[in-house]
Amino acid sequence: WYQRRVRGYWDVRQDREVELHRNPTREGGVQSIAVNNIANQLCAIDNRGLLRLWDITALSEPRLVTEQQCHDNRGLKCTFSPDCSSIATTSADATMRLWSIGEEGISASQTFSSPEQKWVWDAVFSTDSQFIFTASSDGTVRLWDSQIPGLPKQEYAAHQKAVVSIAFWDREAQGFYTESDAS
């Protein structure tokens, strides 16, 4: 993804690299990338908190839609909602932010933060895009209602160390899986 100051992806059907962004200066390294469920958009967040969104409808000619400074600190994760209407970003600034996707790019929607929360490593949406789970350095997984900013709807504090990764499955809302930092 980030070599020779070029950001891009490998098109396995055509067996070639497709350039997304030429980087003449040494910008922040990419921390996370995601493709939406209908495979027409790609987003990436770097370690400076800058989010980029591309239209990849024409795989051979991707188009940069927007660049947005999403966080003041290290960006850690970006992920699309299942309904493709928004992007969640996480950061070392102890926040998860939700961004609405529109014709002209993205716009700030909401910021989610808890007073005890530390670095927010990961975020995952429920299958209906209404709820978002976050994984934090304070050992807690939090459940947020994407429509209501404020305090978390639920907190799951089961880890002694940082929760750095989370997965969610919704076979009639049975649960989620977390990965704690073993160091």
Side-chain angles (χ1 to χ4, degrees), residues 66-142:
T66 191
E67 294 181 331
Q68 177 77 37
Q69 188 67 46
C70 293
H71 296 275
D72 296 329
N73 206 326
R74 178 180 293 272
L76 297 171
K77 177 76 177 209
C78 59
T79 187
F80 286 96
S81 61
D83 66 5
C84 302
S85 68
S86 57
I87 298 170
T89 60
T90 68
S91 173
D93 66 8
T95 65
M96 184 269 297
R97 294 199 173 129
L98 192 60
W99 304 87
S100 296
I101 302 172
E103 291 292 323
E104 301 300 315
I106 60 173
S107 59
S109 177
Q110 298 176 40
T111 298
F112 298 82
S113 180
S114 176
E116 302 81 25
Q117 193 165 267
K118 296 182 181 175
W119 285 30
V120 182
W121 287 95
D122 201 358
V124 63
F125 285 89
S126 61
T127 53
D128 64 3
S129 301
Q130 182 176 349
F131 298 101
I132 307 166
F133 290 92
T134 58
S136 178
S137 285
D138 66 0
T140 305
V141 172
R142 290 178 175 83

Side-chain angles (χ1 to χ4, degrees), residues 34-78:
V35 175
N36 70 3
N37 287 344
I38 55 177
N40 69 347
Q41 291 180 319
L42 180 143
C43 67
I45 193 163
D46 69 21
N47 62 8
R48 293 184 181 178
L50 182 69
L51 179 73
R52 289 185 174 92
L53 175 68
W54 286 273
D55 179 333
I56 57 170
T57 305
L59 281 176
S60 60
E61 295 179 28
R63 179 179 62 85
L64 180 64
V65 175
T66 191
E67 294 181 331
Q68 177 77 37
Q69 188 67 46
C70 293
H71 296 275
D72 296 329
N73 206 326
R74 178 180 293 272
L76 297 171
K77 177 76 177 209
C78 59

Side-chain angles (χ1 to χ4, degrees), residues 18-40:
V18 177
E19 183 178 305
L20 290 174
H21 177 72
R22 185 160 296 276
N23 188 0
T25 63
R26 287 219 173 256
E27 294 177 0
V30 172
Q31 293 295 116
S32 176
I33 60 172
V35 175
N36 70 3
N37 287 344
I38 55 177
N40 69 347

